[in-house]
Amino acid sequence: MARYAEPGALEWVESGGGPLIAVPETVLPFWAGADSEELDTDYDRACEVDGYVGLLPVGDSAALVLGDEPASTAYLPEHATFVRWSAGHSEGELLAQVPAALEAAVWEHEVHWRVPGPVVLFDSAWPGGEAGHQEHLRIPLDAGRYTVRAAYAQPAPETWFGLVQLRRLAH
């Protein structure tokens, strides 16, 4: 698999061409990815998500699908935001643009996501039980309800990226 994000300050997750998915750890074994006897696999369901984000039922919970394009993705805990690198000369240049992009973002799609705790971000084609053996990122979310909103930013002519921000809702 080609790497689009340069090694640097953050861990970046990439897919083989399909969407990335954040699945709660408690239901990872229930995500079958592209390995299923069903006519529509979990991976097929993830590919059908239209737009930047969507939710799919997994076990007794839901997974967050990062749709649109298979961009290299990192998580910035200080902003509770997934950053999806589409173009930019360097990781440092891209990350320097994030705070201003968050302030100026025109948020497009919003969903409400209930998570039981930490989630794992990985290529939706893989079964959840194998996520730890593939390229993945563990995000230590607290259990609760979150509003998830998405936007696309182009802060410079050759720098653009997606933003998927999680905002914890009060009980």
Side-chain angles (χ1 to χ4, degrees):
M1 168 178 5
R3 290 208 54 88
Y4 299 101
E6 300 168 13
L10 293 177
E11 289 184 59
W12 295 86
V13 175
E14 297 180 354
S15 80
L20 293 173
I21 191 162
V23 179
E25 282 183 329
T26 59
V27 295
L28 272 174
F30 297 105
W31 182 260
D35 295 343
S36 175
E37 301 297 320
E38 302 295 320
L39 221 43
D40 283 333
T41 66
D42 286 343
Y43 174 73
D44 292 331
R45 293 188 309 133
C47 289
E48 290 174 3
V49 168
D50 190 30
Y52 296 132
V53 294
L55 297 175
L56 290 177
V58 179
D60 63 356
S61 191
L64 177 67
V65 178
L66 302 183
D68 189 40
E69 64 178 55
S72 298
T73 302
Y75 184 73
L76 305 177
E78 67 274 19
H79 299 292
T81 300
F82 291 101
V83 176
R84 312 208 59 221
W85 186 341
S86 296
H89 292 293
S90 71
E91 180 182 273
E93 177 185 293
L94 183 137
L95 295 176
Q97 301 289 333
V98 169
L102 286 167
E103 289 293 320
V106 177
W107 301 102
E108 298 206 5
H109 191 71
E110 191 172 282
V111 297
H112 295 277
W113 187 29
R114 181 181 299 277
V115 296
V119 301
V120 179
L121 179 72
F122 60 99
D123 185 332
S124 61
W126 292 105
E130 294 180 21
H133 305 291
Q134 306 302 326
E135 190 172 304
H136 72 283
L137 184 61
R138 182 179 186 271
I139 295 101
L141 296 180
D142 292 329
R145 291 180 15 180
Y146 291 81
T147 295
V148 181
R149 59 187 188 166
Y152 202 75
Q154 187 173 357
E158 295 182 9
T159 304
W160 59 90
F161 48 86
L163 299 166
V164 177
Q165 188 174 55
L166 310 177
R167 295 181 300 154
R168 185 129 191 249
L169 297 172
H171 296 298

